[in-house]
Amino acid sequence: MNTKQKVKKVLSRTSTMHYSKLVFRSALFFAALVVYIYNRITGTGEYFGGLDKRPFILSFIWLVFVVEMILRFFPSKLESMGCQKQFKKAFKATDCTQPKNISWKSTFAVTAAWVALNGFIGVLYYKNIIDEGILLLISLAYSACDMICILFFCPFQTWFMKNKCCVTCRIYNWDYAMMFTPLVFTKSPFYWSILLCAVALLLRWEITYKLHPERFSEATNANLSCANCTEKLCHHKKQLRSLWASNKYRLQFVDNADNKSK
């Protein structure tokens, strides 16, 4: 009798790291939200306990993200090739010498959409509809959504960039700058230090892209090909699409069956 061997699927180190980040960032957002709501209800006037009196919360948030951004400036075996492709050691030449660059129209569309969204948030802030605490909460929500984009569904990939996966994403290292965009409306040096670090990371990425476009293209960098991929982040998105398509088909089948019965 033939027995089928069960293949145990193990998450890659990169996938595990991103799931851990999703849990951690979500917990960080909800913790900050609870503190914010508590201080609003009690009328302390201190959104997060008062930076001068109890600096732990904001200092912890600052430390976590600044350390993450500093590490992005250096090669890492744990990080996704999506952000590592900027480094020389992550480049493996192919027979092709002409990189296939993404149209500037796609990156412009992403920029315009993001500016419009956060411009609206800025208007709410200057109209005193929301405060600095809300701006920070939005940034923390963005940070959790960043992991959702990597693991499950990315609107920028689907609607704008049309890239096949995160590894080939042209704007992968825009993430921190996009996360902390709402902080641009604040006047706090504390918030601005986070934002400036994110902008420095973005500039490093864009300058490298300008000087070494061959590192960012699958046509010229073999490490960006599916054959050499070890992180398999795209599997989660494919599974989700398959599940969605399957459920959609089942619902359509049930609807058709109900219509026929009538």
Side-chain angles (χ1 to χ4, degrees), residues 134-188:
I134 294 294
L135 293 179
L136 180 59
L137 287 173
I138 292 173
S139 289
L140 292 176
Y142 282 167
S143 72
C145 289
D146 178 49
M147 292 299 102
I148 292 174
C149 286
I150 291 174
L151 292 170
F152 304 113
F153 173 75
C154 179
F156 304 108
Q157 175 189 0
T158 305
W159 301 332
F160 298 99
M161 303 304 296
K162 308 295 184 182
N163 50 285
K164 69 172 186 177
C165 65
C166 292
V167 168
T168 60
C169 181
R170 161 70 178 84
I171 61 171
Y172 194 106
N173 251 28
W174 287 22
D175 54 351
Y176 287 100
M178 296 175 83
M179 277 183 224
F180 301 118
T181 302
L183 302 185
V184 74
F185 303 112
T186 70
K187 298 178 181 179
S188 170

Side-chain angles (χ1 to χ4, degrees), residues 23-153:
V23 173
F24 175 76
R25 291 182 179 184
S26 298
L28 194 61
F29 166 74
F30 284 112
L33 179 62
V34 169
V35 173
Y36 176 83
I37 292 174
Y38 172 79
N39 286 326
R40 294 292 288 184
I41 291 175
T42 57
T44 63
E46 301 167 349
Y47 308 134
F48 294 103
L51 181 58
D52 54 336
K53 298 176 182 177
R54 270 188 274 168
F56 173 75
I57 295 175
L58 290 179
S59 296
F60 181 70
I61 292 172
W62 184 92
L63 183 64
V64 166
F65 287 107
V66 168
V67 169
E68 282 189 15
M69 286 186 279
I70 290 174
L71 291 176
R72 276 281 183 92
F73 281 97
F74 305 97
S76 169
K77 292 182 179 180
L78 186 60
E79 277 281 10
S80 169
M81 184 57 67
C83 66
Q84 294 296 294
K85 58 178 176 275
Q86 63 178 314
F87 300 111
K88 183 178 180 180
K89 68 179 300 182
F91 176 70
K92 183 179 179 181
T94 65
D95 295 333
C96 180
T97 58
Q98 186 62 38
K100 183 179 179 182
N101 294 328
I102 302 295
S103 171
W104 65 270
K105 295 179 180 179
S106 299
T107 53
F108 177 80
V110 171
T111 304
W114 197 249
V115 169
L117 171 61
N118 289 278
F120 175 70
I121 292 172
V123 170
L124 296 179
Y125 174 70
Y126 287 117
K127 293 287 187 181
N128 295 318
I129 299 174
I130 61 176
D131 52 43
E132 285 191 8
I134 294 294
L135 293 179
L136 180 59
L137 287 173
I138 292 173
S139 289
L140 292 176
Y142 282 167
S143 72
C145 289
D146 178 49
M147 292 299 102
I148 292 174
C149 286
I150 291 174
L151 292 170
F152 304 113
F153 173 75

Side-chain angles (χ1 to χ4, degrees), residues 202-221:
L202 172 64
L203 289 175
R204 162 71 183 275
W205 176 267
E206 289 302 309
I207 291 172
T208 306
Y209 178 79
K210 185 70 175 178
L211 296 176
H212 301 284
E214 70 280 359
R215 299 179 187 177
F216 294 77
S217 174
E218 183 183 359
T220 49
N221 188 354

